[in-house]
Amino acid sequence: GGGEAEAPEAPEAEGPSEIQGKIILATTTSTKDSGLLDYILPEFTYQTGWEVDVISVGSGEAMAMGEAGEADVLLVHSPKDEAAFVEKGHADADGRFDVMYNDFVIVGPADDPAGVKAAAASDAIAAFTAIMEKEATFISRGDNSGTHKKELSIWEKAGLQPAGEWYVEAAAGMGDVITMADEKMGYTIADRATWLAVGGNTQLQIVSEKNPSGILNNQYGVICVNPEKNELINADGAKAFQNWILSAETQELIGTFGTEEFGAPLFTPNAAK
Amino acid sequence: MDVISAGIAQAFRLILSGDQEIVGIIGLSLFVSFSSVILSTCLGMPVGILLGTHSFRGKGVVLRIIYTFMSLPPVIAGLTVFLILMRRGPLGYLQLNYTPTAMIIAQICLVTPIIIGLIYNLVREKAPVVNRLGITLGAGRLEIMFLMIREMRIGLTAAVVSGFGRAISEVGAVMIVGGNIKGKTRVMTTYITELKSMGDYSRAIAIGIVLLIIAFVINAILYNFQEREGK
Amino acid sequence: MDVISAGIAQAFRLILSGDQEIVGIIGLSLFVSFSSVILSTCLGMPVGILLGTHSFRGKGVVLRIIYTFMSLPPVIAGLTVFLILMRRGPLGYLQLNYTPTAMIIAQICLVTPIIIGLIYNLVREKAPVVNRLGITLGAGRLEIMFLMIREMRIGLTAAVVSGFGRAISEVGAVMIVGGNIKGKTRVMTTYITELKSMGDYSRAIAIGIVLLIIAFVINAILYNFQEREGK
Amino acid sequence: MELEIRKLVRDYGTKRVLDLESVTIEKGTRTAIIGPNGAGKSTLLNIVSRIDVATEGEVVYESEDPRLVTQVFQQPYMLRTSVERNIQYPLRLRNWPEEGMKKRSNELMEDLGLLDLRHQKAWKLSGGETQKVALARALSFQPSLLLLDEPTANIDPATTAEIEEMLLKINREEGTTILFVTHNLAQARRVCNRLLFLDKGKLVESGDCQEILQNPKEEKTRRFIAGELLI
Amino acid sequence: MELEIRKLVRDYGTKRVLDLESVTIEKGTRTAIIGPNGAGKSTLLNIVSRIDVATEGEVVYESEDPRLVTQVFQQPYMLRTSVERNIQYPLRLRNWPEEGMKKRSNELMEDLGLLDLRHQKAWKLSGGETQKVALARALSFQPSLLLLDEPTANIDPATTAEIEEMLLKINREEGTTILFVTHNLAQARRVCNRLLFLDKGKLVESGDCQEILQNPKEEKTRRFIAGELLI
Ligand SMILES: Nc1ncnc2c1ncn2[C@@H]1O[C@H](COP(=O)(O)OP(=O)(O)OP(=O)(O)O)[C@@H](O)[C@H]1O
Ligand SMILES: Nc1ncnc2c1ncn2[C@@H]1O[C@H](COP(=O)(O)OP(=O)(O)OP(=O)(O)O)[C@@H](O)[C@H]1O
Ligand SMILES: [Mg+2]
Ligand SMILES: [Mg+2]
């Protein structure tokens, strides 16, 4: 993405702006289900007067919506596809910006039959290799979501091609897949936000996390959709959103989200300054 | 099971709490489902009655198609309406996607065939008798239609109730065209789905129970009306 | 609109290609829906007929509850069955979650009330006449039940077809208890949802059209059967 | 001339149930239609009252207004409302004022001994009561042509006498043309001045009622009339 | 004794439609039940044939077997199949062999002039034809008690004579007890040897048929019989 970082126009702190219209934000389920957007968006509307219709879908669909010009701005986590998206000219002139990241965790049954926790507590590639060697049940998202793409990239880096009875391709939502892993006493990879929300109800545990190489990082980016796609795209609102979410104040706000409930922030802001 | 009983307890707490957000969600559910059922009834009832009373070439095919559309998956109904209403779509200039109006349109696509099919099936046997009575007493076409409705009101009510059940419990279509936007297009079923995907099963079940209680109250009202009229 | 026409074209290509995976998905859809409809019919038809022919204290309440369950959201049906069948649930030892059996059970919960409600409504008016004929000709209870079924076969078929439409088009329940596992529990509707979430609209519509074509063929078969029998 | 029947044919599938040569019914006449079961008498009435259509031929009416023709069926259908409202229904269609309707229906109920039943549910009456209500309903709006299909078959002797009296009276006072299907030859003799004898869909004989009953020209008619002497 | 009616009362809501003192019907008798419309004649038959239940009192039968009692209704219901199969249905219930059924139904169709109609759809017959089929169906299994509700009301004179003949014959040859509702006093005189006169639900007079018709003891009966003289 381009490294441009305009200072966002700080609104006068006197009162709410007049509502001037709405933008459509297509995003992944994790940003919405984690509660992040509910936490930060009122501030955006208050400051700029743009209302936001949040459509939470898979990353794949979010980008399809962008491509079709159905959304004005995207907040997604599938960097490779995002690059391709920009390349093909679906983004506006400014392209894509990093916003924040959280991380993926590999979770598995309490008794950890593949011994991942002992062998590879912070090595995702070793963890996957151990699971495949033991043919321990592994549930894959199997739906081209950002999480699924991340999983596939780890298999690829490990030089493995998972297949067989133990490798369950369940194309369902993240929460469903965590539940399924619990039911089937298998492993899976999940984004931390969803894991924190759903994992408490299960008997699963984190078996591998915080890979030093950053392979388990879950990077979110923001993209304004190319306004030439159709005349209904709200380019002003989209740009205002992009500027706002990249602004120092918002980044700070993102950095505080989740501390109350989980004791630690769910997302780490990392907008390119 | 604890989850289910917790859900039941929570359902009652929710109802008693009168939480503004929940009230809004329930209100929108009712608004969307009632609107779509009323419009579907206006469309489907005359069509069902006409099919039940008239013969014409190709009627068999029409019926088969209607029965087929009783199997229309909500996701497909939603997707089709979405594609038609989308910005680049033929009706994009109306900017209806992600509004309750779009949700109503999508539900009409689902509910109308059900209402037509059920009414046709109900009317078919009794209609000829009512029809010939109407004719010999000097009723016009429209008057005969009203007579049919009055004579078969119990069965017709049940058909409409089935349509309502379908509309209020359906999630696939309203999720796609509505987008489950908080405070705007979030209805009970999309909220249930969201809660479920967040792993909050007991709250999901609580909302489900609230939905059933509402359906029960509505059915009870219609049923009482039937009781008084029928028998 | 391009997406829709692309979907239509793709639907025919899919059907003609005979792709093994698609064939498996269609087969499982049919297996699950037929099984649940057959079992629901076995449960629901006698209950519907008995409700239509007998009076007893509390019948009004029973009917209201059945009508209410016609509005049961699939997600709730799925979730409840899931919680009962889950590993830590009361029937967890059966290990049925994520199997077609669980999908059938969840669909039975959805379809049975629909079949009971529709049949009750259908039987109510005509049943007394058939009933008294049966009694005076010396038919026993069971024989009267069969007589009802034979006399009202057209309407009953339509009720069952409605139930089938509900089962085959439903996604919420089978998604939760089945999990949409490739090669195991993936059916047409869960596949459609998956395709949609991947943004592959035209393929989603193609599968939707395949589903409708199948429903059309099944309806046409039943309808032809009706045609021969009725009139 | 009230109406002219022009070479009427009616086929059901391959079965020809009516195949009449032309006949004219004069205004103000009282015509009996007699013949064995299945001769086509009801079919003829149905075509005249426009609820059935001829396969070939046509009926030409003096008046253009179809609302002046009415028919009382062999098995009358009662609207799902009170006796009184059944009788008033044709008047309501004609926008009579509430007052006038009340007066007219009271008159008719008085004549037919229905006053006690006025608030009863009409569809739960006994066989004879039903037929009386159907008659009152047909007479309410003073039709110019009255078609009756065995109107006193289920009515007790005293009431039968009253009804015959009534028919003669409206014919005399209002000039109502009457077409009257009956199996009771004595009744035909008492009430009618014209007669059509049908057998197997054909018009065997027509003419003056008394004359034919005394001196039938055709062998078939002779045998039919002789049949009555057996009983 | 074929059956004993013990102080029978039947209320519909607040309306008492039957309030009989005790009566015995002897085996092999032919009893006419006469009375004005709404007297409770059909209600009485319905209770005797067990399709209605008395509010108070009971009917005691000589035979325990309910399959020996049958009834022909005022408005008979035809099964949705052919004439022949309608007639054979009670035999099928009794597991008669195919051969025997064919023979028996042929016999009856011959007697009632139904042979031409054997393959017709029974529910599309004319009024009189319907009644003949219903009679044949009831007679098929040689019941010991036959309840008839105005069985010849819609039947032509020659066939009426044949049916009366037939009833006398089965009574004579098989000792069948006959309970016979009719408005035709001449018919009662021809067919019956006992008579019950009902009015407003009460038993006004009972005894020998010919005697009562010639010399009624009660004023009400006298007036009713005089009514026939008017026609
Ligand atoms: N819808 C129909 N389909 C087939 N056949 C029919 C239909 N309606 C009537 N018929 C036949 O047409 C013939 C004439 O019927 P119609 O009812 O006119 O007789 P009808 O003279 O009124 O006899 P009845 O005195 O018994 O009432 C009968 O043989 C009957 O079976
Ligand atoms: N289900 C019912 N609900 C209310 N009233 C009824 C019901 N059935 C019959 N009645 C009333 O009971 C009375 C007796 O009816 P029933 O049918 O026994 O008369 P009936 O003697 O057979 O008369 P008809 O000669 O006219 O056939 C009638 O006044 C009728 O209106
Ligand atoms: Mg007739
Ligand atoms: Mg009666």
Side-chain angles (χ1 to χ4, degrees):
Chain A
E4 185 239 21
E6 215 174 287
E9 301 149 63
E12 300 309 308
E14 275 150 32
S17 309
E18 293 243 333
I19 296 300
Q20 46 179 325
K22 67 163 195 191
I23 59 170
I24 293 176
L25 167 65
T27 183
T28 65
T29 38
S30 48
T31 52
K32 191 182 189 189
D33 291 356
S34 64
L36 172 69
L37 292 175
D38 282 349
Y39 182 72
I40 62 170
L41 283 180
E43 189 59 29
F44 172 66
T45 306
Y46 183 86
Q47 286 182 12
T48 64
W50 293 108
E51 288 192 312
V52 186
D53 281 358
V54 180
I55 311 300
S56 82
V57 288
S59 281
E61 188 177 3
M63 272 180 281
M65 283 177 67
E67 208 175 313
E70 294 305 314
D72 301 315
V73 59
L74 313 179
L75 180 61
V76 288
H77 67 131
S78 192
K80 257 195 203 168
D81 296 320
E82 290 163 38
F85 185 88
V86 174
E87 191 113 320
K88 289 189 196 133
H90 299 316
D92 74 352
D94 297 336
R96 175 199 175 278
F97 297 88
D98 282 344
V99 176
M100 62 193 180
Y101 66 88
N102 66 349
D103 62 343
F104 290 106
V105 292
I106 300 171
V107 298
D111 59 357
D112 193 8
V116 177
K117 201 165 183 184
S122 59
D123 183 346
I125 292 173
F128 272 35
T129 312
I131 291 167
M132 183 157 169
E133 264 168 17
K134 283 272 171 6
E135 299 213 333
T137 304
F138 184 93
I139 319 288
S140 164
R141 276 290 287 278
D143 64 350
N144 284 350
S145 58
T147 311
H148 184 219
K149 294 239 164 82
K150 174 63 75 179
E151 178 211 320
L152 293 179
S153 75
I154 296 174
W155 289 116
E156 200 183 338
K157 287 217 172 81
L160 299 172
Q161 280 176 329
E165 267 295 299
W166 62 275
Y167 186 73
V168 179
E169 291 177 79
M174 193 69 255
D176 295 327
V177 166
I178 292 172
T179 307
M180 193 184 295
D182 184 34
E183 281 291 301
K184 286 187 162 288
M185 293 185 279
Y187 294 86
T188 193
I189 180 169
D191 67 277
R192 189 179 294 274
T194 311
W195 164 252
L196 285 174
V198 178
N201 297 327
T202 70
Q203 292 175 334
L204 298 173
Q205 58 165 340
I206 293 178
V207 294
S208 182
E209 61 180 334
K210 303 206 164 89
N211 195 311
S213 74
I215 192 175
L216 285 178
N217 275 4
N218 183 17
Q219 179 65 49
Y220 286 83
V222 64
I223 307 175
C224 288
V225 171
N226 186 344
E228 276 145 37
K229 290 202 172 273
N230 61 54
E231 68 273 21
L232 295 173
I233 287 180
N234 183 351
D236 293 344
K239 188 50 70 185
F241 178 82
Q242 195 178 50
N243 288 335
W244 172 81
I245 202 163
L246 296 174
S247 72
E249 291 88 343
T250 310
Q251 288 280 304
E252 199 172 306
L253 197 60
I254 290 171
T256 63
F257 172 67
T259 31
E260 241 173 74
E261 201 176 336
F262 302 109
L266 282 184
F267 296 92
T268 310
N270 70 338
K273 299 279 149 50
Chain B
M1 291 311 274
D2 322 346
V3 181
I4 297 177
S5 47
I8 295 172
Q10 203 169 347
F12 287 98
R13 250 176 291 128
L14 268 181
I15 294 172
L16 297 176
S17 75
D19 175 335
Q20 263 320 100
E21 194 189 341
I22 300 286
V23 170
I25 290 173
I26 294 173
L28 186 64
S29 283
L30 291 177
F31 171 70
V32 168
S33 302
F34 270 121
S35 304
S36 56
V37 169
I38 290 170
L39 292 170
S40 297
T41 304
C42 294
L43 281 168
M45 190 164 304
V47 175
I49 292 178
L50 287 177
L51 282 173
T53 47
H54 289 69
S55 296
F56 53 87
R57 271 172 65 85
K59 179 170 161 180
V61 177
V62 172
L63 284 174
R64 270 169 255 209
I65 290 174
I66 287 169
Y67 276 128
T68 300
F69 275 87
M70 287 171 83
S71 310
L72 184 66
V75 178
I76 294 295
L79 200 51
T80 309
V81 171
F82 181 83
L83 292 171
I84 290 169
L85 294 181
M86 70 192 246
R87 286 170 171 176
R88 277 189 312 174
L91 298 180
Y93 61 91
L94 295 172
Q95 294 200 271
L96 288 178
N97 269 340
Y98 309 122
T99 65
T101 311
M103 297 159 81
I104 292 169
I105 294 171
Q107 286 200 340
I108 288 174
C109 298
L110 283 178
V111 175
T112 307
I114 293 176
I115 289 186
I116 294 177
L118 294 180
I119 288 183
Y120 162 73
N121 194 43
L122 199 87
V123 158
R124 175 164 57 178
E125 277 212 30
K126 198 168 166 181
V129 184
V130 178
N131 194 42
R132 65 181 207 179
L133 180 71
I135 293 175
T136 54
L137 295 183
R141 270 160 192 281
L142 207 65
E143 288 160 331
I144 288 179
M145 178 83 76
F146 285 127
L147 190 61
M148 298 265 178
I149 293 174
R150 227 177 51 204
E151 289 301 296
M152 295 180 237
R153 57 189 168 245
I154 297 180
L156 297 181
T157 309
V160 173
V161 167
S162 306
F164 178 77
R166 174 75 158 176
I168 195 136
S169 68
E170 177 281 320
V171 65
V174 290
M175 181 64 103
I176 294 175
V177 299
N180 187 31
I181 299 169
K182 189 176 169 180
K184 270 196 177 164
T185 59
R186 182 168 295 170
V187 291
M188 282 191 275
T189 52
T190 59
Y191 191 41
I192 289 172
T193 304
E194 181 183 328
L195 288 168
K196 198 220 108 227
S197 80
M198 287 163 64
D200 193 349
Y201 296 157
S202 70
R203 197 173 166 90
I205 287 192
I207 304 284
I209 290 169
V210 172
L211 191 153
L212 286 180
I213 290 173
I214 290 169
F216 182 83
V217 171
I218 291 167
N219 285 326
I221 292 168
L222 290 171
Y223 188 90
N224 277 339
F225 160 78
Q226 287 191 6
E227 279 287 86
R228 249 188 306 118
E229 299 280 315
K231 273 286 156 60
Chain C
M1 290 313 270
D2 323 347
V3 182
I4 296 177
S5 46
I8 294 172
Q10 203 169 343
F12 288 98
R13 252 178 287 129
L14 267 182
I15 292 172
L16 297 176
S17 74
D19 176 333
Q20 264 319 103
E21 194 189 339
I22 300 286
V23 171
I25 289 173
I26 294 173
L28 187 65
S29 284
L30 291 177
F31 171 70
V32 168
S33 303
F34 270 121
S35 305
S36 57
V37 169
I38 290 169
L39 292 170
S40 297
T41 304
C42 293
L43 280 168
M45 190 162 307
V47 175
I49 292 178
L50 287 177
L51 281 172
T53 47
H54 290 69
S55 296
F56 53 88
R57 270 173 65 83
K59 179 171 162 180
V61 177
V62 172
L63 283 173
R64 269 169 256 207
I65 290 174
I66 287 169
Y67 277 128
T68 301
F69 274 86
M70 289 171 83
S71 310
L72 183 66
V75 178
I76 294 296
L79 199 50
T80 310
V81 170
F82 181 83
L83 292 170
I84 289 169
L85 294 182
M86 71 192 251
R87 214 152 40 83
R88 282 172 292 163
L91 298 181
Y93 61 92
L94 296 172
Q95 294 202 283
L96 288 177
N97 270 339
Y98 309 120
T99 66
T101 311
M103 296 159 83
I104 293 169
I105 294 172
Q107 286 199 340
I108 288 174
C109 298
L110 284 178
V111 174
T112 308
I114 293 176
I115 290 187
I116 295 178
L118 295 180
I119 288 183
Y120 162 72
N121 194 43
L122 198 88
V123 159
R124 177 165 56 179
E125 277 213 27
K126 199 170 165 182
V129 183
V130 178
N131 194 42
R132 65 181 206 179
L133 180 71
I135 292 175
T136 55
L137 295 183
R141 271 160 191 281
L142 207 65
E143 288 160 332
I144 288 180
M145 178 84 73
F146 285 128
L147 189 64
M148 298 264 176
I149 293 174
R150 226 176 55 204
E151 289 302 295
M152 294 181 240
R153 57 189 168 247
I154 297 181
L156 297 181
T157 308
V160 174
V161 166
S162 307
F164 177 78
R166 173 72 156 179
I168 195 137
S169 68
E170 176 283 320
V171 65
V174 289
M175 180 62 108
I176 294 176
V177 298
N180 187 31
I181 299 173
K182 188 174 171 181
K184 275 201 175 154
T185 57
R186 185 166 294 169
V187 291
M188 282 192 276
T189 51
T190 59
Y191 191 41
I192 289 171
T193 305
E194 175 188 338
L195 289 168
K196 200 223 117 223
S197 82
M198 286 160 56
D200 192 350
Y201 296 158
S202 71
R203 196 171 165 90
I205 286 194
I207 303 285
I209 290 168
V210 172
L211 192 153
L212 286 179
I213 291 173
I214 290 170
F216 182 82
V217 170
I218 290 169
N219 285 327
I221 292 169
L222 289 171
Y223 189 89
N224 278 338
F225 160 79
Q226 287 191 7
E227 279 286 86
R228 250 188 306 120
E229 299 279 316
K231 270 289 153 55
Chain D
M1 180 203 79
E2 179 74 37
L3 64 94
E4 194 187 334
I5 292 161
R6 290 202 185 143
K7 280 201 158 297
L8 225 47
V9 172
R10 179 65 169 102
D11 296 335
Y12 284 117
T14 58
K15 190 175 170 187
R16 179 149 296 186
V17 301
L18 208 59
D19 184 7
L20 293 184
E21 50 183 275
S22 300
V23 183
T24 306
I25 306 288
E26 293 300 335
K27 224 175 160 48
T29 50
R30 305 179 303 276
T31 310
I33 303 178
I34 60 173
N37 293 127
K41 306 180 294 296
S42 298
T43 306
L44 173 59
L45 284 199
N46 290 345
I47 293 172
V48 171
S49 68
R50 296 184 175 86
I51 59 172
D52 194 1
V53 274
T55 312
E56 286 169 37
E58 55 171 345
V59 179
V60 182
Y61 305 83
E62 192 206 52
S63 156
E64 295 281 285
D65 187 356
R67 311 226 303 179
L68 295 174
V69 182
T70 195
Q71 178 173 8
V72 179
F73 298 97
Q74 226 167 331
Q75 301 197 350
Y77 175 79
M78 289 288 110
L79 300 175
R80 264 50 184 166
T81 175
S82 69
V83 166
E84 183 167 34
R85 293 203 149 233
N86 258 279
I87 297 172
Q88 293 175 347
Y89 175 70
L91 305 179
R92 214 168 286 277
L93 284 177
R94 287 160 180 80
N95 296 317
W96 280 40
E98 198 65 39
E99 278 294 283
M101 286 200 296
K102 261 221 140 70
K103 193 158 156 288
R104 180 75 182 135
S105 63
N106 278 346
E107 235 171 75
L108 287 159
M109 287 190 288
E110 176 129 35
D111 280 355
L112 289 161
L114 293 170
L115 273 177
D116 285 352
L117 300 174
R118 65 194 303 170
H119 299 305
Q120 298 274 311
K121 289 165 180 168
W123 68 103
K124 299 206 163 174
L125 296 176
S126 77
E129 289 163 351
T130 305
Q131 218 139 13
K132 287 197 247 176
V133 175
L135 188 67
R137 190 169 60 184
L139 291 178
S140 64
F141 58 96
Q142 294 165 306
S144 96
L145 172 59
L146 180 61
L147 310 169
L148 302 164
D149 204 344
E150 310 183 29
T152 63
N154 298 297
I155 291 182
D156 65 51
T159 313
T160 301
E162 280 165 37
I163 289 174
E164 291 177 4
E165 205 40 69
M166 204 165 155
L167 293 176
L168 287 168
K169 187 174 139 219
I170 61 161
N171 170 262
R172 194 170 54 232
E173 295 181 355
E174 294 161 25
T176 312
T177 311
I178 295 175
L179 260 174
F180 193 106
V181 174
T182 183
H183 287 301
N184 187 332
L185 300 186
Q187 185 170 58
R189 207 173 279 127
R190 288 192 298 270
V191 176
C192 299
N193 52 11
R194 307 287 302 163
L195 186 144
L196 303 181
F197 181 75
L198 302 192
D199 188 24
K200 300 198 173 131
K202 303 255 188 221
L203 183 63
V204 176
E205 192 162 355
S206 70
D208 183 84
C209 179
Q210 315 301 333
E211 214 173 290
I212 294 181
L213 288 178
Q214 258 153 41
N215 275 318
K217 287 199 200 67
E218 300 291 327
E219 181 54 26
K220 274 187 186 153
T221 324
R222 194 187 312 277
R223 262 189 282 134
F224 185 82
I225 294 172
E228 203 195 20
L229 301 180
L230 295 175
I231 61 177
Chain E
M1 177 204 84
E2 179 74 36
L3 64 91
E4 193 188 332
I5 292 161
R6 290 202 186 143
K7 279 204 159 299
L8 226 48
V9 173
R10 179 66 170 103
D11 296 335
Y12 284 117
T14 58
K15 191 176 170 189
R16 177 150 298 188
V17 300
L18 207 58
D19 185 4
L20 294 185
E21 49 183 276
S22 300
V23 183
T24 306
I25 307 288
E26 293 301 335
K27 222 174 162 48
T29 50
R30 307 180 300 279
T31 309
I33 303 177
I34 60 172
N37 294 127
K41 305 181 294 296
S42 299
T43 305
L44 174 58
L45 284 198
N46 290 345
I47 293 172
V48 171
S49 67
R50 296 183 174 85
I51 60 174
D52 195 2
V53 274
T55 311
E56 286 169 37
E58 55 171 346
V59 180
V60 181
Y61 304 84
E62 193 208 50
S63 155
E64 295 280 285
D65 187 358
R67 309 224 306 181
L68 294 173
V69 182
T70 194
Q71 178 173 10
V72 178
F73 297 98
Q74 226 166 335
Q75 300 198 352
Y77 175 78
M78 290 289 110
L79 300 175
R80 263 51 183 166
T81 176
S82 69
V83 167
E84 184 168 32
R85 296 204 145 233
N86 259 279
I87 296 172
Q88 292 175 347
Y89 175 69
L91 305 180
R92 214 168 286 278
L93 284 178
R94 287 163 179 78
N95 297 315
W96 280 39
E98 198 65 38
E99 278 294 285
M101 285 198 299
K102 260 217 141 69
K103 192 158 157 286
R104 180 75 183 135
S105 64
N106 278 346
E107 235 171 75
L108 287 159
M109 286 190 289
E110 177 129 36
D111 281 356
L112 289 161
L114 293 170
L115 272 177
D116 285 353
L117 300 174
R118 63 194 305 167
H119 299 304
Q120 298 274 312
K121 290 167 181 167
W123 68 104
K124 298 204 163 174
L125 297 175
S126 77
E129 290 164 349
T130 305
Q131 218 138 13
K132 287 198 247 176
V133 175
L135 189 66
R137 190 169 57 185
L139 291 179
S140 65
F141 59 95
Q142 295 166 300
S144 95
L145 172 59
L146 179 61
L147 310 169
L148 302 163
D149 204 345
E150 310 184 29
T152 64
N154 297 298
I155 291 182
D156 64 51
T159 313
T160 300
E162 280 165 38
I163 289 173
E164 291 176 4
E165 206 41 68
M166 204 165 155
L167 293 176
L168 286 169
K169 189 174 137 220
I170 61 161
N171 170 262
R172 195 170 52 234
E173 295 182 356
E174 295 162 25
T176 312
T177 310
I178 295 174
L179 259 174
F180 193 106
V181 174
T182 182
H183 287 302
N184 186 331
L185 300 187
Q187 185 168 58
R189 207 173 279 127
R190 286 191 300 271
V191 176
C192 299
N193 52 13
R194 307 287 302 162
L195 187 143
L196 304 180
F197 181 75
L198 302 190
D199 188 25
K200 302 202 172 124
K202 302 254 188 222
L203 181 63
V204 176
E205 192 162 354
S206 71
D208 182 85
C209 179
Q210 314 301 335
E211 212 173 291
I212 294 180
L213 290 176
Q214 258 153 39
N215 274 317
K217 287 198 199 68
E218 300 292 326
E219 180 55 24
K220 274 186 186 156
T221 324
R222 194 188 313 276
R223 261 189 282 132
F224 185 81
I225 295 171
E228 203 194 21
L229 302 179
L230 296 174
I231 61 176

